[in-house]
Every structure is written in structure tokens, then in C-alpha cells.
Amino acid sequence: MPAKFWNGQKAIWETTSIDGLKTMEPDLVIQMYRSMLTIRLFEEKAKQLYQSGEIAGAIHLSIGQEAVAVGVCSALRLDDAVFSTHRGHGHLIAKGGHLPAMMAELMGRQTGCSHGCGGSMHMFEPQVGFMGGNGIVGGGLTLALGAAFAAQYRGLDGIAVVFFGDGAAQQGTFHEALNLAALWKLPYLAVCENNQYAATTPFAAAVPTADIAPRAAGYGIPGIVVDGNDCLAVYRAAAAAVERARAGDGPTLLECKTYRVEPHCGIIADRRPKEELERWGQPDRDPLEHLRREGGLSDSVISAVRHDVEAELETAVAFARGSPYPDPAAFLQEHANT
Amino acid sequence: MRMLQYIQAINEALHEEMARDASVFVIGEDVDQNGGVFKTTQGLVERFGARRVRGTPISESAFAGLATGAAMSGLRPVVEFMYFDFVSVAMDPLVNQMAKIAGMSGGQLQVPVTVRAQTGARTREAAQHSQSLEAWFLHTPGFKVVMPATSYDAKGLLKSAIRDNGPVLYIENRLLYHETESVPDGEWTTPLGVAEVVREGRDITVVAIGYARKLALAAAQALEGTASVEVIDPRSLAPLDLATILSSVSKTGRLVVVHDAPASCGFGAEIVRRVVAQGFDLLDAEPLVVGSAHVPMPFSPPLEDACLPSTASLTAAIHKIINR
Ligand SMILES: Cc1ncc(C[n+]2csc(CCOP(=O)(O)OP(=O)(O)O)c2C)c(N)n1
Ligand SMILES: [Mg+2]
């Protein structure tokens, strides 16, 4: 894999060491902020294009959950593998995804990151270690075992991360995967994005306990709960888990408490209590605001970053709009066989 | 030439492919315990070590998913399902993940996994240990499906499956494990998508897969003097060598397909569909499928026997078509 982000940006591990990160270098904080803002603006744009009909199908937005994707992926190297979910735009952006190719994929174009075959739920960008979204809730948990296994098999120190929702934690794959990862001490990090709902079902209607993380004890591995809207807290917890995995000490279950600000997906009505939505919409709950404050980012830095990101997104949308649709005949020629 | 048992053929292919390619590893229940339940993986862990021969907990979903992710990461897993029936607890990783990742990623990722699944009926193991589920996978874009019926193909197809760059379901039959036949010296592979004309004949074409190949040969023998039966073993069900079947039907004008799976919505029905679509004018009589009864396979020996195709039921079907 080329050890470079698509846009020539320096990878985090090139600019600083794990030790340095404990003191949170200003550059890293800016990069994290930039990455979160990219997710936020990318998804706001996608929502708009979805509503206007330029994007078809179903899209699941992660607005409000940006700190989980960015906190975790900031602790990773480019060659670490990430397995994502149906709500995965943020994970790919945080891993260094190519925005024009992502936007083109949402619009079903040939230049999309899955050449128009995947769409929102099945983006793939193996060049940056993004091994795919997943339309099956809980599907990624066992796939990530394989990437972790491959690293261990080859004697490399890469790791595999799987993101999954609070709802996915009730799938059988959760148990099978964590048991096997712990048994074989795989370099595996399971990140539960607990956004408190699975589609329209509240967490408490699906889970008899307050948290998912304590289940880790059943597998003899660490289980950690962290404020998923605090990017630096997520980062610190993830970095420790990554270090543990790289050292050969096995997997960690990291539960990030967060909240999905948007409806479950474009086509499902939102019936959550108004007070709850308002509470989570407050600036003190907003992960970007939180990082701005804690990282001491100045207004001028913020507006420079925003300016950059907006320009990048404009380029991405223009690229997608200008890209051709895939050719059905060529597609069938290449993929259909009996 | 030398004599080779079907089960040894599987074992030799695993040994040779693991020696040939360091990215090949074997994973499944008991595969590292004295060769596993059916002894197909004998000697592998001693020779290649526990790193490459991974006995697992009883977690089919986990190891099928793991194999998928490992293949996406450049390894070449060989997954063993102790019984074909047990794929049912791993259908998400097999069908939604393994089979689809190459397509969903627009061809960016390859998933070179071999899924070995052991099947068989007539062993009085009843409904959950007797199924031939090949049709589920033939119906799933993304899978190749092979079904060796001889030692030669058991070895040759397994080698081709392991070297293939996509998911291949390799269905082996436990009733054939101890069949012995003469094979050539040296190395061979059986290419995917090439049928074998097992026996030439003029009056009727019998397409037989897996264990049914034995039934077809026995029926052909029994009918000697009455009818001249051509027997074709496709060996590879997907991709399918339809050309060989069509050219046989163009000669005989009659077709029977026989397999252990239920006749409804099965591989035989698909062969008939394709032959009718592409060779309707070649047919002198209606094509038939001989398969098992559409019931959960019963335990009691007379019941099980009555539900499965036999030399007698196949011979009767051939008679019916010939005497039309
Ligand atoms: C196996 C499976 N069951 C059901 C669905 C339909 N579905 C899509 S997303 C979703 C909710 C998932 O909740 P959670 O895991 O908490 O993730 P979130 O959507 O909150 O990010 C459901 C039920 C599915 N895609 N896959
Ligand atoms: Mg949720």
C-alpha cells in the first residue's frame, strides 16, 4: 500500500509519535478538527444532494458522531485495516478517503470509490486501509478478524479495527468475533458506536444493561467506555488499545457513547423525543465545538480550515457531477458469468 | 499410474498447495486434531505448524468471516465445514460478504477462498446431516461451485479451487472418501468449467453429479443391450460446461439429470432450463430430473432409501424416456 494520503497530507504517525500525542500537539488537534469538519460538511452536502434527488438509494448520516471516527482513526496507521458499517462515510474520511471518489460513488459514477457498484453502504478504498462499509448489521465484526489474522500470520504489526453500532452488539457475530479475537490474541479493536438507537429502537429496549463494554470481561479482554463526543478522549483510549494490539497483547472492546443527530436514514421518520434532540443539539454536546474548546483552536484557524474544506468539497461535487455513469454493457461483460 | 483414495486425494492437494504457496492456510473445526473428524487434514499441522492449520471453536460464522477478511488482505484460506448442512449458520459471511465483496468493491478486492463442505446421504444421519445444498450457492452470484466424484477430480479440482482468485465452494462426498482408483503419476489439475464425458452412448444423455455419477454408471451398465447411455459428469457446476452437454444431447436427443438434492429448484432443473433454452430442437422427449423427495431427510433406513435416487429409480426414468 502506498504510504501516503491521496491528497499528499502527512499521515499522523509521520508528524508525531504516540508519546508526543499524549501531550496533544497543536498540529494533531487541527488535523482532527479538520477531519471532523470534513465529515460534517460532506454529510450536510450529501443530505442536500439526497433531498434534491442527485443521490439515490439510502444514506445513513453520522452527523454528531464525528469524534468516534476521527478519534479512533487518528490512532491508526495507513496500513491498519478499518471495517465499517452502513453508516460509514465518516470512517472513510477519517481514514484518509478521497472525497471526489466518495462523492462520485454516492452519485453512482464510474469514478466512484467502488466504481458505482457499492454506493453509500459499500464504499471501498483499500489503498487507505478502508476495507468496506457493510449493509449487514454486525457483518464487519468477523471480516475484521481476517485482516487482524493476516497481519499476525505475516508477522506484521498492523491491526484491524471494526466499527459497529449498539444494535449490532446484539448479533451473534459479536460474541463469535470477540471470543476468537481474544482466544488468538488478534490485533483487533472493536469500536462500538453507541448512538443510543438501532434504527428507531432505543438502546434500553434492546439491551438489559447500561453498557456494552463490560461484556469484554467475559472474553478476558479490556472493555472501555468513553465519551464518544470527546475526540481527544476517544483518541487516547483508541491509542492505548492500538498500542496493546500492536504489542501482541490482543483485542480491546471500546464503547463510545454518542448520539445520532440526524434521522436513522433518509427514508425513515424520526420520532425521538423533542427534548432529547434539543439536548443533543446543544453546542456543549457538539463534538466539533468540544474539540475547538479543549484544543484551544483560534477563530482564525477554524475559519482557515473551514475555507479549505469547503473548497475541497466543491471540487468533489464538481468532479462527481462531471463524471460519467458506468457503462452497463461493460459492467455485465466484466462481472456477469454463469 | 498408482492407486489413490478420494480422501487421500483431498489430503494430497492440501499438502501440495500449502507447500507451494505460503499464503494458503487451513481453518475449521478439528482440522488440527489428528486430521479432523474425517481425517482429510491428516499430517498438515505436523508439517506446516499451528500457524497455518487453525482449529477453531464451533463458530462457523466467525471463521467464514475471518477467511473472507483474510482473503481480502491477501491470504488464501481453505475453510472446512465439517458438514455441508452447517453452512446455514454462516450464510451471512458466505453469501452477503464472501460472494459479494469483489462485486461491491467494483473489482478492487479479490476474495480467493476455498470453502470445503462435506456432504452425503444414505448414512442414516437424518435431516440435518444429509443435505446437498449446492443450489443455494449456484443461485448466489460470486460463487464458483465444484463437486468432485473421483479421486482424480478430488485432487485436481481442489488445486484449481485453491489457485482461483474468487470464492470456490468445493463439495466433497463422504460416501466416496474410501473409493480408490488409478491416477497418473506427477501433478495435475482439473480446470474449472470443463465437463467429463464419463461413458459414451447413443440413446440418452445422463448428467450426473457427485455420488450420482456412480448411480448413472450402474444404470448404464444395467441397461447395456437395451439402451446405449452417455454419462456426463460436469464436475464444475459453476462455471458450467454447457457445450459438452448440448453436444451430447444433439446426438442422443434425450436428457436425464440425476443428483442427491431435491429435484425442485435444483441443479437439474437449471440444466433442463438451459438445454431447453438453447437446444429445444435437439430434444426428442421431455427432459427429466431424478433427485431426492422434497422432504426433510428421514432417519429410518427404508424411509431414507425411498427418498433418494437409486440405480433402480434412475433406470426406470431412463426407460420411461427411451420408450416414449
Ligand atoms: C442483519 C441486518 N438486520 C437489520 C438491518 C436493517 N438495519 C439497518 S441499520 C439498522 C440499525 C442498526 O443499529 P446500530 O447497529 O445501532 O447502528 P446505527 O444505525 O445506530 O449506526 C437496522 C436494523 C440490516 N441492515 N441488517
Ligand atoms: Mg445505534
Side-chain angles (χ1 to χ4, degrees), chain A residues 36-47:
Chain A
M36 284 207 288
L37 186 66
T38 307
I39 298 171
R40 174 72 53 90
L41 298 183
F42 180 92
E43 292 211 316
E44 283 175 353
K45 190 76 208 168
K47 181 180 172 184

Side-chain angles (χ1 to χ4, degrees), chain B residues 170-218:
Chain B
Y170 173 94
I171 304 167
E172 55 202 55
N173 194 300
R174 65 178 169 276
L175 281 92
L176 302 174
Y177 275 160
H178 300 291
E179 301 269 312
T180 300
E181 74 185 36
S182 155
V183 295
D185 297 318
E187 209 202 346
W188 73 89
T189 60
T190 302
L192 306 182
V194 180
E196 183 192 357
V197 180
V198 182
R199 185 187 202 277
E200 294 200 19
R202 294 178 313 277
D203 300 331
I204 184 163
T205 301
V206 175
V207 174
I209 57 172
Y211 184 80
R213 172 171 162 152
K214 281 169 71 84
L215 303 181
L217 287 173

Side-chain angles (χ1 to χ4, degrees), chain A residues 83 113-115 117-118 122 124 126-127 131 134 136 139 142-143 145-147 149-150 153-154 173 176 179-180 183-184 338, chain B residues 22 24-25 51-52 54-55 57 59 61-62 65-66 68-70 72-75 92 96-97 103-106 108-109 239:
Chain A
F83 290 79
C113 57
S114 304
H115 304 312
C117 297
H122 311 291
F124 287 82
Q127 298 89 331
M131 306 303 277
N134 214 307
I136 305 298
T142 64
L143 300 185
L145 290 173
F149 177 88
Y153 185 91
R154 294 188 168 118
T173 50
E176 289 196 24
N179 183 68
L180 198 59
L183 181 71
W184 289 354
T338 51
Chain B
V24 176
F25 71 97
R51 175 175 151 271
R52 296 182 64 194
R54 309 295 292 231
S59 299
S61 206
L66 185 152
T68 306
M72 293 164 74
S73 310
L75 299 185
D92 176 56
N96 286 323
Q97 315 291 343
M104 292 191 302
S105 69
Q108 290 176 85
L109 288 165

Side-chain angles (χ1 to χ4, degrees), chain A residues 65 86-87 165-168 193-199 201 260 264:
Chain A
Q65 306 180 196
H86 54 288
R87 199 180 300 289
D166 50 291
E193 299 184 288
N194 187 341
N195 62 7
Q196 308 180 41
Y197 286 87
T201 299
R260 162 169 61 68
H264 169 64

Side-chain angles (χ1 to χ4, degrees), chain A residues 217-234:
Chain A
Y219 308 104
I221 62 170
I224 297 158
V225 180
V226 69
D227 177 353
N229 283 21
D230 177 345
C231 193
L232 298 180
V234 173

